[in-house]
Amino acid sequence: MERSRLRTVPKTRSANGGAERLPGPPSSPPGVAVAVIAPEATESIVRRLVERLRSEGLDASVYDVGPGVIMLRGIRAAEVDDVLGGHAALERVFIPDTRYRLARREVMPGGSVVRIGDVPFGGERFAVIAGPCAVEGRGQILDAARLVRAVGAGVLRGGAFKPRTSPYDFQGLGMHGIELLVEARAETGLPFVSEVMSPGMVEPLYPHVDGYQVGARNMQNYDLLKALADVDKPVVLKRGPAATVEEWLLAAEYLLAGGNDRVILCERGIRAFNSTTRFTLDLASMALVKRETHLPVIVDPSHATGEPALIAPMARAALAAGADGVMLEVHPDPASALSDGFQALRPDELDELMRQLRALAPAVGRRMADGVEAPAESGR
Ligand code: PEP
Ligand code: MN
């Protein structure tokens, strides 16, 4: 589970107590600079750079975020060029004017690609995660996985641990549900994501899941985010129903700052005054977040609308608006579902929606990320 990281050596101070700083204009207060390491820079070159900065009295932190990122605290804008300008180990340096830093697009201007199994999120592909709200039993999840594969979606979903609004509602099958998802993957080849609700479950789930889902209710469970920052598996981070974009991105920042760069954001609807849809799909924020961050962003029109008839139009809108994928709830028999049956697509509705997305994708410059049954292509 341990990744090779560019970890900060313990914080040290320079011989004169770190008091010596390069002169800067008194008008610019010391702040934070983010420096992106050149992909070809070796770890020892980076360490030497960090040591040099420390000897200049600058407090540097190093994170392995994709190509590697250094954060420098207590630096003035005018000093950035003096200290770092033209250094061979660095690709670019910028001073963030937002509270989130590593999620900013400047870190990876071309956007990052995060894979669940082999399925890419980000880049030119549009990926589909589909499956039931909850794993309810062996027959149900195997049927669901088969139909998800048959329509060409790339990733299976299914909650084994369910955060339910009422304690009297079905709470999920727990680890038995995870075992059933593992069986469904073995039969269909589909990677799967499943929700993790507590920090203590991150390790037990690690050997089994292809990706963790952080539910909307847990977006600000910071202990959970810290535990997920320590693993090298993708995290689908749903936006809290009352979370601002900044709060959502700062939640992502917990994962990035802790060392997990495999973050996929998921807009799933926010709470507004209108109650005729389950939530209000905030597609504008999805597009804004795509612009402001390098992270892949997907949309969950199932929870956002809560109504099967509205899911297809919102999924098409998400694709047209630049989302990197959708997460859809589908059930072999929605009427018998133990959780969220009212919003579950029927298998034929998912099939029809997949056809629509496939037809639309080229018109908006995207290609569908192929499911396991589709012919393999190089470069995936
Ligand atoms: C779910 O995906 O089934 C779910 C509980 O979603 P959310 O966390 O967005 O409410
Ligand atoms: Mn659900």
Side-chain angles (χ1 to χ4, degrees):
M1 189 183 305
E2 198 40 46
R3 325 171 55 186
S4 75
R5 288 198 186 151
L6 295 172
R7 270 291 183 208
T8 320
V9 257
K11 283 182 182 164
T12 54
R13 316 215 80 189
S14 58
N16 64 1
E20 190 180 87
R21 299 211 184 263
L22 295 181
S27 53
S28 97
V32 171
V34 176
V36 180
I37 308 293
E40 64 277 7
T42 63
E43 195 160 329
S44 71
I45 292 178
V46 175
R47 278 190 198 288
R48 279 207 298 279
L49 174 68
V50 171
E51 289 312 319
R52 204 188 99 200
L53 295 167
R54 295 244 169 86
S55 72
E56 308 239 20
L58 295 169
D59 181 7
S61 312
V62 182
Y63 299 98
D64 173 18
V65 181
V69 176
I70 295 182
M71 269 203 255
L72 305 167
R73 295 197 177 80
I75 191 166
R76 289 185 165 85
E79 296 168 344
V80 168
D81 275 352
D82 285 351
V83 184
L84 300 169
H87 198 288
L90 298 182
E91 194 152 275
R92 59 189 159 270
V93 183
F94 65 93
I95 303 211
D97 58 2
T98 50
R99 294 174 73 199
Y100 53 93
R101 297 165 185 168
L102 301 174
R104 286 175 63 107
R105 185 161 272 279
E106 288 98 323
V107 168
M108 218 175 287
S112 42
V113 176
V114 176
R115 284 170 197 276
I116 299 179
D118 275 344
V119 180
F121 290 74
E124 66 162 355
R125 304 289 184 144
F126 184 84
V128 178
I129 302 175
C133 181
V135 182
E136 299 166 3
R138 190 166 180 274
Q140 175 252 15
I141 194 62
L142 288 178
D143 281 355
R146 288 177 195 131
L147 78 89
V148 166
R149 185 181 70 168
V151 300
V155 179
L156 178 66
R157 61 150 287 152
F161 298 88
K162 293 301 301 177
R164 302 305 303 278
T165 302
S166 164
Y168 307 118
D169 290 341
F170 175 61
Q171 301 286 310
L173 297 179
M175 273 321 274
H176 179 54
I178 298 290
E179 285 163 18
L180 295 175
L181 285 162
V182 168
E183 189 180 340
R185 176 178 58 204
E187 187 193 304
T188 60
L190 289 171
F192 71 85
V193 293
S194 200
E195 180 157 352
V196 58
M197 293 203 295
S198 62
M201 287 310 292
V202 171
E203 288 243 13
L205 292 181
Y206 182 84
H208 310 295
V209 301
D210 300 288
Y212 296 92
Q213 180 175 323
V214 173
R217 292 159 186 80
N218 265 317
M219 187 204 85
Q220 286 176 307
N221 180 342
Y222 298 114
D223 283 343
L224 177 61
L225 298 176
K226 284 176 188 169
L228 287 166
D230 246 354
V231 295
D232 58 0
K233 288 202 175 179
V235 177
V236 176
L237 179 62
K238 289 190 147 195
R239 179 183 182 184
T244 63
V245 165
E246 185 184 70
E247 287 163 345
W248 187 20
L249 296 181
L250 284 169
E253 197 78 10
Y254 267 89
L255 298 168
L256 299 172
N260 189 348
D261 57 344
R262 297 171 201 194
V263 181
I264 299 169
L265 297 168
C266 179
E267 159 60 34
R268 47 76 76 207
I270 54 173
R271 175 126 315 144
F273 60 85
N274 180 38
S275 56
T276 50
T277 54
R278 189 176 180 189
F279 290 93
T280 294
L281 181 59
D282 189 5
L283 267 189
S285 287
M286 182 282 296
L288 181 140
V289 165
K290 279 291 297 174
R291 184 188 71 197
E292 298 300 316
T293 83
H294 57 89
L295 300 172
V297 189
I298 64 172
V299 166
D300 170 354
S302 297
H303 291 87
T305 64
E307 190 182 328
L310 303 178
I311 292 171
M314 291 304 97
R316 297 193 304 263
L319 169 57
D324 296 304
V326 281
M327 176 183 269
L328 305 166
E329 285 189 350
V330 61
H331 196 287
D333 175 26
S336 72
L338 298 179
S339 168
D340 282 355
F342 57 88
Q343 70 188 27
L345 294 174
R346 292 190 316 264
D348 61 305
E349 290 172 324
L350 178 64
D351 190 29
E352 172 58 22
L353 174 53
M354 289 297 292
R355 287 173 205 280
Q356 293 170 358
L357 294 173
R358 229 174 251 121
L360 174 61
V364 294
R366 304 299 283 257
R367 287 201 292 158
M368 297 294 282
D370 300 319
V372 286
E373 273 197 339
E377 276 182 61
S378 58
R380 282 229 347 231

